[in-house]
Amino acid sequence: MNGHLALIGAAGVASLGLGAAVLSRQPRGKINRYFALFSFAVTAWTLSNAFAVAQFQGFPDYIWPRFAFASASIIPIAFLAFATVLPTTVSPPPTRLLAGFGLAALVFFVGSLTPLIVRSATIEREALRLIYGPLHRPFAFYFVSCLGFSLYLLLRKRRVLSGFQRLQVRYLFLGVLTAA
């Protein structure tokens, strides 16, 4: 295992541990459940990418990239759910918009497991090369718009919050920017 792959694997394990730790603190809390869902989706995405990079024998080359896109389709909707309740439910977003993003997440999750997002994959010069399907660009639009709306929602909340809650949102922004 090379260093790059080890780093990806360690990031996946760390994300899994963080999500499990947050969920174990208060399993019934919405904030904890939504954060854990977000963290577990990031874990699945990270590990799927690691497996795609490792090019495991015995699996078609497109399997792990499809799993990566399927788990990536959960990341923005889980982050949006988390953003709606952190630190409070001040000025909740329109339910139709949330339902639309939720439906898009479901469509892209299912579509990711078919050739609609990743049509095929080949290994060229020891690197994985993906051939994208017709839903790849709409997937990218969904991903960016849902995450963008989540950040907008948090920014809007930050203006009305004070003290510790405002600090929580500021640290979340810092974490998101670091990850980006």
Side-chain angles (χ1 to χ4, degrees):
M1 180 184 296
N2 64 29
H4 180 71
L5 193 55
L7 185 61
I8 293 173
V13 170
S15 182
L16 177 65
L18 180 61
V22 167
L23 186 61
S24 70
R25 298 271 306 173
Q26 191 177 3
R28 294 179 191 236
K30 278 187 178 182
I31 290 175
N32 299 61
R33 288 191 316 228
Y34 292 152
F35 181 82
L37 177 62
F38 170 72
S39 184
F40 296 155
V42 169
T43 298
W45 174 76
T46 304
L47 295 179
S48 295
N49 279 306
F51 294 152
V53 168
Q55 302 167 358
F56 286 115
Q57 301 300 321
F59 290 98
D61 294 334
Y62 60 81
I63 290 294
W64 294 114
R66 285 184 184 173
F67 284 156
F69 275 96
S71 53
S73 67
I74 303 301
I75 291 171
I77 194 67
F79 188 73
L80 177 58
F82 178 63
T84 61
V85 295
L86 178 82
T88 66
T89 55
V90 172
S91 61
T95 52
R96 283 188 176 166
L97 186 60
L98 292 176
F101 278 129
L103 179 61
L106 179 62
V107 166
F108 288 118
F109 178 82
V110 172
S112 294
L113 301 173
T114 72
L116 292 172
I117 294 180
V118 174
R119 182 172 293 152
S120 64
T122 58
I123 298 173
E124 295 177 6
R125 289 180 262 159
E126 298 184 30
L128 187 64
R129 181 176 179 276
L130 301 179
I131 309 300
Y132 296 111
L135 287 185
H136 181 259
R137 286 183 192 233
F139 171 85
F141 178 77
Y142 151 73
F143 193 93
V144 170
S145 63
C146 190
L147 277 179
F149 181 71
S150 302
L151 293 173
Y152 165 76
L153 181 65
L154 287 169
L155 190 60
R156 198 173 76 186
K157 282 183 174 187
R158 188 177 167 273
R159 290 184 197 147
V160 298
L161 295 172
S162 62
F164 182 70
Q165 290 181 334
R166 186 178 180 127
L167 189 62
Q168 280 181 309
V169 172
R170 185 178 298 160
Y171 283 134
L172 181 60
F173 266 106
L174 179 64
V176 169
L177 289 175
T178 303

